[in-house]
Amino acid sequence: MNRLAVELPGLSLKNPIMPASGCFGFGREYAKFYDLSVLGAIMIKATTLEARFGNPTPRVAETPSGMLNAIGLQNPGVDRVINEELPWLAQYDVPIIANVAGSTVEEYVEVARRISKAPNVHALELNISCPNVKKGGIAFGTVPEVAAELTRAVKEVSDVPVYVKLSPNVTNIVAMARAVEQAGADGLTMINTLLGMRIDVKTAKPILANRTGGLSGPAIKPIAIRMIYEVSQAVSIPIIGMGGIESAEDVIEFFYAGASAVAIGTANFIDPYVCPNIIRDLPNVLDELRIDHISQCTGRGWNNGQTVYCGT
Amino acid sequence: MKENMKIIANRQIAKDIYELTLAGSLVQRMRTPGQFVHMKVANSGPLLRRPLSLCDINQEANECTIIYRAEGAGTTLLSQKLPGDTVDVLGPLGNGFSVSALSSGQRALLVGGGIGVPPLYELAKQLVKKGVFVTIVLGFQTKDVVFYEERFASFGETYVATVDGSYGMKGFVTDVIHHHRLSFHVLYACGPKPMLRALANEFPHQDVYLSLEERMGCGIGACFACVCRVPHSETAYKKVCSDGPVFRAGEVVL
């Protein structure tokens, strides 16, 4: 028995560990460090219809236990991702979750329609939560009706299951989760970064050229845990959890909160080997906890050990 | 690519400037001047790594030297480390200075500004070993932060300028180049962007290599934090960490 294997809509994962979108590029850099086939899946960098340069630099700033980024969805455009990046990734035995972004509903729909046809794309992650672009991104992720409408439109054209990436920059994340679930979302990924800012003490100017950026890293982990804990009790679709995960113990905590798989983001920047290390460590942690299978952890924080979502 | 390297020495050599010597097998991978390492100073404290350029590579002794300025939280913490302590080092990373751009008997001009000076040391060493004649121009803010003048002088004619005139010639590195009418086959520079821009504008038709500095996230090309624009394109880019940090003048927008 593979005690780490997880079944989710569109995804048969050999383990529940995947790098988070925007923290792994399209995999090429990390392939120099290890065999990408060890990963459960890869969430590739957000893709828009046309190529984007993104924001001016500085684009990152360190914070206590975290970092701010304002990259601005830099990417080579959907056609180049389909023609160059995805075929390159196909050499690895790993399902791809394609992060889809846009400025308008039409753009999201077109990107989703095209990229969901790529053979190694097993699911889409609808990015309605990027805080670093003027149009689109988070604009679709803070009003339940708007998020639901977009989810419906993308579901109609997508050849693969659609996961919606939720923003923590809302007053009621449960309402957002319910809205996209009712609109047909197959799963949720959460959380994206929290909007934050730093100001240089010497110059009195914002450190990021974009002024504000998205906060990630261990600093946001308790927020992610709380939100997954709330949302997982309110919906019946699975959650891929993320937000400051650094270790196998963190993974278990996310599962206990209600996640069925997890993504690793900022930690990849600090240790390029963090994903394979966590995959290596997980069985030992399960042993210590006397748990047979990782899926048994899902929702334990609130359901007294009943399995919530164990797939099909 | 990643190792807990042992600190052999960590001593102050000028105001806020420290010379750190590290030992470890990673040194055997270090070949090219201008490459950098990405260092995690401590398990607690600053989250991200710090990119620090290699100053001296000594493969026989399995040691490398890094010179840094104790400025923020990470480098201040690093300055408090003692011999025998370890630091988590990822690298070497990036593409360094092309030593093969010159052959024996040709002339190189090495220009460094402030904390951009260190990578020129290994470069000078390798060029001289090859039989290239090197001239070195070092620019600093003030006398207190001048370092490595004598060590560079052992490789070739070395000039120092300070902005406030407290040491060497008063002014900028470009003033020194004009004043002494320094000529070269290839110019290599590392320092603040205004200095690099001035050099690129000064010698538009010559072979000029510039090492850039930018705030980095991952240091390996994945996070897109340290990108710069490419001339005449709206979307083309280069990453300072993995395409650079050394670029030919004109290759990227400064």
Side-chain angles (χ1 to χ4, degrees), chain B residues 3 5 24-31 57-63 92:
Chain B
E3 183 183 10
M5 293 184 81
S25 58
L26 229 46
V27 175
Q28 296 308 317
R29 291 169 168 264
M30 300 173 182
R31 302 240 178 270
I57 304 165
N58 183 345
Q59 295 196 321
E60 292 78 52
N62 229 17
E63 290 178 6

Side-chain angles (χ1 to χ4, degrees), chain B residues 48-68:
Chain B
L48 299 174
R49 288 173 182 271
R50 299 293 188 268
L52 300 166
S53 61
L54 292 167
C55 171
D56 191 10
I57 304 165
N58 183 345
Q59 295 196 321
E60 292 78 52
N62 229 17
E63 290 178 6
C64 65
T65 302
I66 286 153
I67 291 176
Y68 63 96

Side-chain angles (χ1 to χ4, degrees), chain A residues 192-204:
Chain A
N192 205 319
T193 56
L194 285 111
L195 198 55
M197 191 170 179
R198 269 196 67 193
I199 298 173
D200 189 303
V201 173
K202 285 180 188 148
T203 64

